[in-house]
Every structure is written in C-alpha cells, then in structure tokens.
Amino acid sequence: MEKTYYDPKDLKKFGNITELQPELGKKFFDYYGDVFKEGALTQREKSLIALAVSHAVQCPYCIDAYTSDSLEKGADEAQMMEAIHVAAAIKSGAVLVHGVQMMNKIDDLTM
C-alpha cells in the first residue's frame, strides 16, 4: 500500500490523546461516549449522522470508523450513501447561500 499522510493505523491510537492531557482527554471521551448512547436517536441513526459529518469535514479516520460502525449498527449501503448525499447537499448549500453575501457586497460597491 502506498504511504499517505493519513495512516489508517493511527485511528487505533486515538485513545492515546489522553497521554499528554489526561484530565481533558478523559472529559472528551466521557462526553463522546455519552453522545453516542441510545437516546432520542438510535445508535444506528447517530452513526449515520457521524458518517455524513465525517464526509463533510473530510476526516478519513472518521470515515473509516463510521463506515464500519454504521454497518455494525445495521445500516445498509443505500442508507449510508444517502446520508453522505444529505451532507453534500447541506455543504454545497452552505457554500451557495454565502453567495448572497457576495451579491450584497457587489450592490454596496456598484451603487
């Protein structure tokens, strides 16, 4: 396998972030764990959201983790791809809606 900036093996080292700041690391992992517990949303729904957000923020570690997690939680490929399309639509919409700011600036500069 060709070496890339992101090493998939590093995902397994995520827990090591507590080594340099144990107190804050523990707080993060406690919070993170609580977020993904069953609540108003199922764990499967939360995993699909995490998968979609992973693509929006372009985190390869998260994409790997939540692809596996979504499958483990019972999501199928169509649901996973649909979640990614939702993220893509929101992200592209967010880019385009900022076009209004540009249009406002054009009006300010040309009036």
Side-chain angles (χ1 to χ4, degrees), residues 52-74:
V53 171
S54 298
H55 282 78
V57 300
Q58 299 175 320
C59 175
Y61 301 115
C62 301
I63 291 168
D64 284 357
Y66 287 103
T67 297
S68 298
D69 193 63
S70 292
L71 288 170
E72 290 169 11
K73 300 278 190 307

Side-chain angles (χ1 to χ4, degrees), residues 5-111:
Y5 186 77
Y6 292 103
D7 186 342
K9 291 181 280 185
D10 285 343
L11 181 56
K12 291 181 175 30
K13 299 176 186 176
F14 186 30
N16 298 350
I17 64 163
T18 60
E19 291 175 5
L20 299 180
Q21 185 33 275
E23 184 180 339
L24 293 177
K26 181 182 179 331
K27 286 179 182 183
F28 169 77
F29 283 115
D30 287 347
Y31 169 75
Y32 193 88
D34 286 346
V35 164
F36 284 93
K37 289 180 181 173
E38 192 92 12
L41 298 171
T42 66
Q43 288 183 327
R44 184 183 137 287
E45 291 167 330
K46 290 180 179 190
S47 188
L48 286 168
I49 292 167
L51 180 64
V53 171
S54 298
H55 282 78
V57 300
Q58 299 175 320
C59 175
Y61 301 115
C62 301
I63 291 168
D64 284 357
Y66 287 103
T67 297
S68 298
D69 193 63
S70 292
L71 288 170
E72 290 169 11
K73 300 278 190 307
D76 64 30
E77 293 90 345
Q79 293 167 331
M80 294 164 65
M81 186 56 75
E82 190 169 326
I84 293 167
H85 278 282
V86 170
I90 295 300
K91 192 163 185 174
S92 62
V95 169
L96 290 171
V97 75
H98 279 83
V100 174
Q101 182 176 351
M102 177 208 55
M103 293 163 57
N104 290 340
K105 186 67 175 178
I106 288 170
D107 288 346
D108 289 347
L109 293 172
T110 59
M111 294 189 133

